[in-house]
Amino acid sequence: MYDILSKRNHGLKRQTLAFAQQLVSTAGYSGQETEVANLVLRQMQQLGYDKTLQDDFGNIVGILEGREAEPTVLLTCHMDTVSAGDPKAWDKDPFGAQISDGRLWGCGASDCKGGLAAQVFAAALLKKSLLPLRGNLVVAVTTCEEAGTSAGIRHLLEATLPALKLTPTYAILGEPTNLGLYYGHDGWMEVNIDIQGSSLFEVDDAARNIFDQFRLFSNEDTKTGGLLNLSAQAPVFLSNTPLRQARIRLNRRLIDHEQVESVMGQVKQQALQAVHQKDHVTVSVAVSSQAQTSYTGVTTLGRHITHAWNTDPFGVLMERSRQALEAAGVRVRPGKWQLGRIGMATAGGVLTKEYSIPTIGYGPGNEDVIHAPNEYVEVDKISEAVYGTASIVHSLIGVPVFGWTSDSI
Amino acid sequence: MSILILEPKAQGLRYSVFYLTEQPLQAQPDVSGLSPLMSSGSDWIDLLEDISECLVHADAIAIRVRYGGDRFNGPVSVEPHVLDTLTTLTPQAPLHLPGTITLIESCRAVFPAAPIYLFFDTALFADMPDRESMYGISSELAHEMQFRRFGFQGLYHQSACRFAVQQSRRDQAQPAAKIISVCLEPNPEISALTGGHPVFVTGGITPMEGLPSETGCGDIDPGIILSLSERTGWGPERLNRTLSKESGLGALAGHPVTLEALYADTRPEYEQAGQFFKYKLMHACGAATAAMGGVDALVFSGCYARTGRGLGESLTQALNTATPSSGSGIRFYLCEEALAVSMARALLPRLSR
Amino acid sequence: MKLLVFNCGSSSLKYKLLNMPDCTELVGGEAQRVGPPTACPACIIHRTHGDEMQWEVPMADHAQAFEAVMKILMQDQDLTPDAVGHRLVHGGTLFKGHSLVSKENFELLQQTRVLAPLHNPPAIELIGACLHRYPDLPQVMIFDTAFHSTLPAHARTYAVPAQWRDEFGISKYGFHGTSHQYVATQAADYLGMDMTQLNAVSCHLGSGGASLCAISGGQSIDNTLGYSPLQGLIMSTRCGDLDQAIVLQLIAHHGGHACVEDLLNKRSGVLGMTGSTSDIRDVIAASLDTDNLETHHQMNRALQIYAWRIKKYLGAYLTLTASAAGRPVDVVIFTDTIGETVPAIRWIVCSNMECFGLTIDHDRNQQTRLPAEISAPDSRIRALAIQTNEELAIARYAFQIINTDL
């Protein structure tokens, strides 16, 4: 079976890359994904997906229907990217989608457009190979992921898929893993520390002391060479009269099992420790949130929390995926995302913690080059991701082909 | 009248055309060839369009289908319910049937006026007795998962058996009734037929079981799979790949080898593999003889039928030693009739109706 | 000499003390429920001179069971053993023949644990306990696989990659060797033939496992069991031959290899086919009962499938042995529980085998006193039902080895 997949994949290489280039050259920041969405929808229709649709939140969903009602595998990527920043910082045009040195260069190439292209074509590969599926394959390309609230995927799971009577049994993210098989990562929380009081000077002093305190914590981290666990932004002032209000925004890493409430309690305590004149100022701590409007005009309020999550590395999903990649002749490298930069996240937390769907990541992008100028994705890895993803999907929902070879077709 | 016979292969679509006139069917097709698959995989319709360039029209099309389960015990003409049945059977032959369905649809598109007939390799075995087709496992599980034994070279066996009956009638004035049919193909298979009905076959639920093939292990101890799963952590897909593509005669010879070369070449590394295969053939022939309560003749078919010349000597000698009471001795025949010819012959009566 | 024979099960220990070389049984017995304590207490049942005694004795492992048995025997001077024979299921490629136990090969024996993880370890524990407690007591290891060490390469090989054959030791070992060798020797005696001239097919049909053995010139040349005791015939709860694609499919989608191992070893075979019984004798009785037609058909089908598999292997082995020897076999032997006591199976399996020169006589086949000749007088191949006696066989071979060593 793998020789069939491999041959067909070779035949689809040019098309896959062309699609990836089109994606990279089409800008789409969170809330402004209209053009990218249409591009994805058209490509799915052209590839012959059984069903394609655009939901109320602007997510694009393509379905390959299986012979039975379950299981269902969800392949998902977000279509939005972070801002390209200052174009002068880029050696190549961030929307030029140039290919050189075996790399496709551009904003969002690794996060997550390379992975997006790979997932859309992985389904196409299975279809073209005529391999029948027992269960359903859903390829969902979501909006509003990068802004930190996973609004798109939430809408997909809450409303869109239930309306289609589809409940994912397993989910595979196309987020950058450098083709490793990733089973989780730590989380992030964005917290607002609000300092209020009637005396401007006392509030400002307290705010500066709190800021210094947290800056000390984060410096200690970088000194020990550990991953950045904490970072604080300088205080901003939100009002003068009748009360002075200062706000410090804090980004804090969450490890698995850490409760949001207890972390908030910790932060508040640490903040209070820094305040000298406690009687004249009040300190309150809250998770920061933000209104998010999709390109289709739907607004939701999202909290800036990315949960830490882990899927059992020895559970069914990881085991079968590992076995499939091994059988396909592809290197297997289990691991976890490092999320070295503040604000990075995946939809895995929502999928595993809020919907109990075992989730893994397998994508061609490179975590080290995202959210920065000169982002790229390796062209060969996109093609390998198509083949690897199709192999994994087949092991989970394909009709078993044991005992048959293509030699005697 | 022109008949187009199609045999899907891994390398492409083999086609044979017969232009029928007053004479009886010739031994060879008028036109034949292989429309090759691109290295990146082609669609059947592209291959059919290539083929259609060399023939004006087809009055009938016959397609060789590798699997029909117990739903087809002979050739059928394609009606809507036939396509539905093929769709239902897909999980039992997942690498073949989806392609068959697409091929039928492509034939309709390229040759819209030609009726299409399907010839199944498993049809001969659809009515095999339960004692041969069933296994020592839970009957519920077997029923639910459609676990039952088939042969996968039925068309060769049928044609070979017919040939053996003809030849034995000529040689001995007594047509052979109990025939061991040895199909020598990259995936070889032995069947025992009494009066043309199979009572034994080496194939299994899939072609993996049975005689070792050029790349497949054939019969092995299920305990090996369980033991290796536990010891190595290899998943079932990887084990499947090893057992079907990296085992068999090639594994014993040390490099890929055809059945023909194994016996034509006298290389020392082929000695072990050659002995091994012969032993397995002998084992199956002995079992076949017990299944039929005797044996009158052996017949070899398949693309390596000629290799049966040497093998036939050894096998008939072994059988003659083991069954000394079988009269004038067991003979063997080589049937080199191409499948396309036997399919065309079987198709003719249906067309004249 | 007084030879003590041990036969370990996973939670039991059978023993017999025989006087050699005349082979008279002095005492025998069984330690039951050896292992972690369960609802019923562990006990030893001891038989002597027609009497049976039972004691409750806690035995947490086979070493303790060994101590307990030796204690019973040592009480009587006349029952003190002079040597011990152990049955080991699997010798792999390390032990091609039966051997005396020594410190060196006891180390080597440890490597065979993994070959039969349920059966070898208890026996190895026993040997260790004996070596420790009674270092001067000669011990012999008798392997179920040893008789099959003469299998030629083409019978022993599986067509799998060299790595599997060399590194993982994937090859056909065969089992029930002691039994096949024993009944073949008995058959040779019965026929007045030299064992080295004997060509036979031996059918060990037990209430647990079953196998056929092809014997040429008194040596095993093939066995239906293979790398593991799962291959070959349909057995009481084991599936026997099964398309490996199905094994793979079940592993992938029906619970993983541990679950499938349990299914194929313990819930298949006769039990799997009937859903109600693992005993072919029950199936034979039920096959004639027409009260419930559905069950009637199911039982008949199960009977056919069971017997058909044996028949095909019999035909195969008759042919292979004839080819190896240059002449048809001399005898077909039926042994162990089903082979010895169920004439219906012998009859059904051997029906329509005249082409090989084998005909069973219906009346002779009903004989219950063994050894019995069940073939018709004009049958070229003779057929015998012979009682197997593993403990006796172990004692004989152990005695031979000790005497050769002396």
Side-chain angles (χ1 to χ4, degrees), chain C residues 67-349:
Chain C
E67 294 286 341
V69 169
M70 290 302 276
K71 207 163 135 200
I72 295 169
L73 295 175
M74 299 294 220
Q75 280 168 3
D76 185 339
Q77 185 133 22
D78 292 333
L79 297 180
T80 305
D82 301 310
V84 183
H86 297 275
R87 178 193 172 215
L88 274 118
V89 164
H90 208 325
T93 44
L94 293 169
F95 293 93
K96 294 224 165 86
H98 310 310
S99 343
L100 271 169
V101 175
S102 68
K103 271 214 195 74
E104 293 76 34
N105 66 19
F106 185 66
E107 284 311 307
L108 213 56
L109 196 60
Q110 303 303 326
Q111 293 179 40
T112 67
R113 280 175 181 267
V114 63
L115 295 170
L118 283 180
H119 296 91
N120 273 17
I124 296 174
E125 253 180 61
L126 210 67
I127 295 172
C130 191
L131 257 181
H132 179 73
R133 272 285 254 142
Y134 307 99
D136 296 324
L137 191 60
Q139 300 189 74
V140 185
M141 302 179 285
I142 306 292
F143 295 96
D144 265 12
T145 46
F147 184 51
H148 306 300
S149 61
T150 47
L151 247 61
H154 49 253
R156 210 183 332 117
T157 307
Y158 289 105
V160 293
Q163 186 208 15
W164 289 30
R165 285 175 272 140
D166 303 334
E167 259 180 63
F168 297 119
I170 302 298
S171 110
K172 181 182 279 234
Y173 293 105
F175 301 92
H176 298 143
T178 315
S179 173
H180 285 302
Q181 188 178 15
Y182 176 76
V183 298
T185 317
Q186 297 293 94
D189 282 346
Y190 183 97
L191 298 173
M193 288 180 73
D194 201 280
M195 180 63 170
T196 59
Q197 299 297 310
L198 184 78
N199 298 325
V201 178
S202 166
C203 309
H204 175 109
L205 304 177
S207 51
S211 72
L212 261 59
C213 183
I215 298 169
S216 174
Q219 295 191 320
S220 170
I221 59 164
D222 209 340
N223 181 254
T224 58
L225 294 171
Y227 172 79
S228 82
L230 197 51
Q231 193 175 6
L233 303 177
I234 293 174
M235 299 171 244
S236 54
T237 61
R238 286 187 218 139
C239 59
D241 290 337
L242 179 65
D243 189 339
Q244 50 273 26
I246 277 12
V247 182
L248 293 168
Q249 189 173 329
L250 291 172
I251 291 176
H253 299 291
H254 277 72
H257 68 257
C259 196
V260 175
E261 172 138 26
D262 186 73
L263 173 69
L264 298 180
N265 265 296
K266 307 221 177 90
R267 293 181 284 128
S268 295
V270 176
L271 181 62
M273 292 190 293
T274 60
S276 51
T277 177
S278 61
D279 196 330
I280 197 69
R281 291 169 286 192
D282 294 342
V283 175
I284 292 172
S287 69
L288 299 174
D289 181 353
T290 48
D291 277 346
N292 181 331
L293 280 182
E294 202 184 307
T295 314
H296 176 80
H297 291 308
Q298 188 179 34
M299 292 295 172
N300 275 286
R301 199 162 43 229
L303 176 59
Q304 280 211 28
I305 298 169
Y306 175 89
W308 186 249
R309 182 80 65 89
I310 303 173
K311 179 192 254 289
K312 287 192 289 179
Y313 267 110
L314 178 58
Y317 282 6
L318 286 172
T319 308
L320 293 170
T321 310
S323 175
R327 63 168 216 272
V329 310
D330 306 306
V331 62
V332 172
I333 308 161
F334 286 95
T335 189
D336 210 19
T337 319
I338 310 292
E340 291 163 27
T341 66
V342 188
I345 291 298
R346 302 191 296 240
W347 179 256
I348 296 170
V349 165

Side-chain angles (χ1 to χ4, degrees), chain B residues 38 149 156 167 222 229 250 264 287:
Chain B
M38 303 276 286
R149 186 192 303 279
Y156 272 120
Q167 292 297 109
S229 284

Side-chain angles (χ1 to χ4, degrees), chain A residues 1-4 7-12 67 128 130-132 319-320 322-324 326-329 387 394-395 399-409, chain B residues 8-10 39-43 66-67 87-88 90-96 98-99 102 152 205-208 215 233-238 240-241 244-245:
Chain A
M1 173 190 92
Y2 297 105
D3 46 359
I4 298 178
K7 264 198 201 147
R8 283 283 180 184
N9 188 35
H10 190 71
L12 284 174
R67 299 170 64 91
K128 283 214 182 294
L130 299 182
L131 291 170
E319 266 297 279
R320 296 295 287 134
R322 185 186 58 73
Q323 288 172 352
E326 204 178 30
Y387 174 63
H394 190 272
S395 75
V399 169
V401 302
F402 302 112
W404 295 93
T405 61
S406 52
D407 289 343
S408 53
I409 299 276
Chain B
K9 297 257 162 201
S39 61
S40 53
S42 327
D43 294 330
R66 301 313 303 265
Y67 189 88
T87 307
T88 311
T90 295
Q92 292 160 242
L95 289 191
H96 291 77
T102 328
F152 301 95
I205 300 164
T206 70
M208 202 176 207
T215 60
W234 291 339
E237 283 83 7
R238 179 173 169 166
N240 182 62
R241 191 180 186 168
S244 54
K245 307 285 275 226

Side-chain angles (χ1 to χ4, degrees), chain B residues 141-152:
Chain B
L141 187 67
H143 183 76
E144 181 197 320
M145 311 283 288
Q146 297 292 307
F147 290 159
R148 64 148 281 186
R149 186 192 303 279
F150 285 96
F152 301 95

